[in-house]
Amino acid sequence: MQKILVYSFLFLLVLAGCSTAIPGNPTSKTILKENSQADILQMDQLIYIKASNQESLKKGDFIKEDKIGEIKKTTTSTLFFKDFYATKLPVGSEIFATNDHDTYTIIAVIDGKQILYTALVEG
């Protein structure tokens, strides 16, 4: 009887340890559930959203540098939303790193127009 209690306690302890007390970074599913019209893309398993303040590009705070890749698919389906998938950017839109080498800011280019995106991360 005592062994059963000990094993039950250990099992509950393991279950509690495996639960996620700290939420992870937002996913395409959570973002699009809140706002089905969100302008997002995924890169390196992070979701980037179009920055509300595009003025920092005009001021020169962010300058495009090395090309990172291109948008492979435009979709609003959250099923199998992968890296270089976007909800608004057309296929072939180029994605660039920025001059501050911050992985949380990137620049997309559509027909010569630059658009700043920022990563959505928890914490």
Side-chain angles (χ1 to χ4, degrees), residues 11-107:
F11 177 73
L12 290 173
L13 189 62
V14 168
L15 277 179
C18 292
S19 68
T20 53
I22 301 171
N25 291 330
T27 64
S28 61
K29 186 175 184 175
T30 57
I31 298 303
L32 293 174
K33 185 177 179 181
E34 292 175 18
N35 178 4
S36 63
Q37 299 301 310
D39 187 350
I40 60 172
L41 66 96
Q42 181 172 314
M43 189 183 76
D44 294 333
Q45 298 180 343
L46 286 176
I47 298 296
Y48 289 78
I49 192 163
K50 183 178 178 181
S52 58
N53 182 3
Q54 296 290 314
E55 291 299 314
S56 54
L57 274 173
K58 293 177 185 172
K59 291 191 276 182
D61 293 340
F62 295 103
I63 300 168
K64 74 176 186 167
E65 290 209 342
D66 297 333
K67 183 177 173 181
I68 300 169
E70 294 182 2
I71 297 300
K72 296 177 184 176
K73 185 173 184 175
T74 303
T75 181
T76 56
S77 171
T78 58
L79 192 62
F80 305 114
F81 201 88
K82 299 178 183 178
D83 285 350
F84 296 102
Y85 281 23
T87 57
K88 303 283 183 185
L89 294 172
V91 172
S93 298
E94 296 178 317
I95 309 298
F96 293 87
T98 60
N99 58 314
D100 68 353
H101 304 287
D102 179 1
T103 58
Y104 300 120
T105 56
I106 57 175
I107 295 173

